[in-house]
Amino acid sequence: MDDDAWSAKYLIRGLRDFFPHATFHHYDGQERNVMERCHGADAIIMDMALGIHNGVEYCAQLRYADNITPVLGITSFLVDDYRQSFIDAGGQGLLHKEHIEQVAMALRAVVQGQPMDGFPTPAQAFDALIQSEQEPLTPREQQVIDEYRHTGSAEAVAQTLHIAVATVHKHLQNIRRKQPFTKKSTIEFSYNPDPPPRASDQHQ
């Protein structure tokens, strides 16, 4: 997942030398239901800078729903700028994207269940994120976030639940306070001015 098409093409071309039989899919992070498209992958290579979102948010969003798929972060900036936040979000490693050989070696390792030094396994990261939720959501807050995940619109949530838009915003504010990673990853990620048709929620 990289919003720079040239960079993604360069990376995939380089990785094919190490994984000639692998199938690669490129997303720029703006596709509808992009996280759902990533489910079932052997691994995800995720850039840290993805337009209005970033790899930390996307990784946390995935990890809340998936304790299996490894996520390897890449960046063209300083690795240390993202390292700790990417660990906290549930990633399995982070490298500079120009170091193709290192990325390939790390990719092979994380697919085999071996994260980079200092990074958790997907299962460890999932458990840590769930345990980090300091306060459970109320039933009403859970309804609000479930609807918001589908629509990305406070107005649509208000109409569906028959409450005021201001009340929806208040619930979202409380959810952001209670759940540190969901404050961006499950709320901001879901925004789409043209919401997709409602599907079964994989995050229940």
Side-chain angles (χ1 to χ4, degrees), residues 32-122:
R32 181 178 295 177
N33 299 331
V34 66
M35 286 289 91
E36 293 179 14
R37 299 185 189 194
C38 290
H39 283 296
D42 292 314
I44 299 171
I45 302 174
M46 187 172 294
D47 191 18
M48 293 295 95
L50 294 165
I52 62 174
H53 301 292
N54 65 56
V56 172
E57 295 171 11
Y58 279 117
C59 183
Q61 168 72 12
L62 175 79
R63 192 54 69 222
Y64 266 104
D66 183 326
N67 66 350
I68 297 173
T69 307
V71 183
L72 182 64
I74 56 172
T75 182
S76 57
F77 301 101
L78 293 175
V79 169
D80 286 345
D81 289 348
Y82 293 99
R83 188 177 190 276
Q84 189 57 54
S85 59
F86 197 59
I87 290 173
D88 295 340
Q92 279 58 69
L94 179 61
L95 294 160
H96 199 280
K97 65 170 63 176
E98 291 185 0
H99 300 157
I100 299 293
E101 185 173 348
Q102 293 180 18
V103 172
M105 292 174 61
L107 180 60
R108 189 183 302 278
V110 299
V111 168
Q112 294 174 349
Q114 301 169 2
M116 292 178 62
D117 289 345
F119 287 81
T121 65

Side-chain angles (χ1 to χ4, degrees), residues 110-164:
V110 299
V111 168
Q112 294 174 349
Q114 301 169 2
M116 292 178 62
D117 289 345
F119 287 81
T121 65
Q124 290 169 339
F126 175 84
D127 290 342
L129 282 176
I130 297 303
Q131 292 172 8
S132 73
E133 296 181 0
Q134 299 176 353
E135 188 177 348
L137 300 183
T138 66
R140 190 52 143 181
E141 288 167 349
Q142 190 63 56
Q143 282 183 311
V144 168
I145 191 58
D146 286 345
E147 290 297 327
Y148 199 93
R149 283 170 176 157
H150 293 304
T151 67
S153 166
E155 290 77 11
V157 175
Q159 184 176 8
T160 300
L161 298 182
H162 307 291
I163 57 179

Side-chain angles (χ1 to χ4, degrees), residues 36 150 197-204:
E36 293 179 14
H150 293 304
R198 181 163 182 160
S200 59
D201 188 358
Q202 298 186 18
H203 304 289
Q204 291 288 336

